[in-house]
Amino acid sequence: MITLPILFEDGEALVIDKPAGLPIDRPRSGGTSLENYLDALRLGFQRLPLAVHRLDQDTSGCLLLARNAKAHKRFAAAFEARQVEKVYLGVVAGPVAEDEGTIALNLSKISSAEKGWRMIPARAGKPAVTHWRVVERRDGLTLVEFHPETGRTHQIRVHALAGLGAALLGDPVYGGGPVADAPARRTMLHAAALTVPREGKPPIVAAAPFPADFAALGFSCLPTT
């Protein structure tokens, strides 16, 4: 197994740089998941750390872990109250005309025998808000910085398609084709930075390095936090 880089560490929290391809939960078919690394991530503490939020298997970058149940509860409440600042980078598989904006589209889960489950914009869905700005344009692709206010499942992936007019590069669900047909080996989404406020303590602040597969597409810009 590879070593997971640690971006932030103190007595109640860890932020790791999760690699693309590593699932948070163990797949039903078996295989490596975050669970395989938890014992090594104890770093001398008695309890195994607990993931506070979710990142899709393909998504790389900042993942917050709590060292104990009380800290997990506080951090989860901060996410629920929209107090956590999150910055993502995504490569949109097409041109984006505007330079910045806000996407407010409610999201709902649907399922079919042909396509499985996915999220769609729907008036009756849960509110979802994403602020965005273009970082760089190159060869028909657009590097976009996303600041999600809410944390709905697949929020940025659906908002990219419905709000910006093109899916994230390599997205097999919302991009209209399998990853193998795209010039990318995964859905190109990266959790670039995370700031979690804490009462009576300095905030948790972490930033993940710019991914090599983003750079391989010719992009070089880093996010602002």
Side-chain angles (χ1 to χ4, degrees), residues 85-107:
E85 296 180 21
K86 298 163 285 184
V87 181
Y88 288 79
L89 287 175
V91 178
V92 176
V96 176
E98 302 295 328
D99 290 333
E100 61 183 14
T102 296
I103 302 165
L105 290 172
N106 292 4
L107 299 179

Side-chain angles (χ1 to χ4, degrees), residues 43-124:
L43 301 175
F45 282 73
Q46 182 177 1
R47 298 180 178 86
L48 295 177
L50 305 169
V52 178
H53 59 120
R54 320 299 296 173
L55 292 179
D56 290 341
Q57 179 171 332
D58 269 1
T59 303
S60 56
C62 297
L63 178 69
L64 175 63
L65 307 176
R67 290 195 185 276
N68 57 68
K70 289 183 178 180
H72 186 277
K73 184 177 180 179
R74 292 197 306 272
F75 299 154
F79 274 90
E80 184 68 23
R82 304 186 187 180
Q83 296 172 343
V84 178
E85 296 180 21
K86 298 163 285 184
V87 181
Y88 288 79
L89 287 175
V91 178
V92 176
V96 176
E98 302 295 328
D99 290 333
E100 61 183 14
T102 296
I103 302 165
L105 290 172
N106 292 4
L107 299 179
S108 182
K109 182 179 178 180
I110 64 170
S111 181
S112 67
E114 299 80 17
K115 296 183 178 181
W117 74 268
R118 59 201 183 280
M119 305 298 290
I120 61 169
R123 289 185 180 181

Side-chain angles (χ1 to χ4, degrees), residues 6 26 52 98 117 126 160 171:
I6 296 174
R26 185 175 297 279
V52 178
E98 302 295 328
W117 74 268
K126 295 181 179 180
D171 192 324

Side-chain angles (χ1 to χ4, degrees), residues 130-213:
T130 305
H131 307 289
W132 62 272
R133 73 174 185 92
V134 170
V135 178
E136 190 177 355
R137 295 177 173 92
R138 179 177 292 274
D139 301 327
L141 304 175
T142 310
L143 180 64
V144 178
E145 183 179 284
F146 296 96
H147 294 252
E149 275 191 24
T150 50
R152 307 303 178 198
T153 301
H154 294 182
Q155 176 174 319
I156 293 174
R157 295 167 65 183
V158 180
H159 277 184
L161 177 60
L164 300 182
L168 295 178
L169 182 66
D171 192 324
V173 177
Y174 305 102
V179 173
D181 289 346
R185 294 184 178 273
R186 55 131 168 173
T187 302
M188 298 298 277
L189 185 62
H190 178 63
L194 185 72
T195 302
V196 184
R198 296 188 290 185
E199 186 175 353
K201 291 184 178 182
I204 298 167
V205 179
F210 195 70
D213 52 358

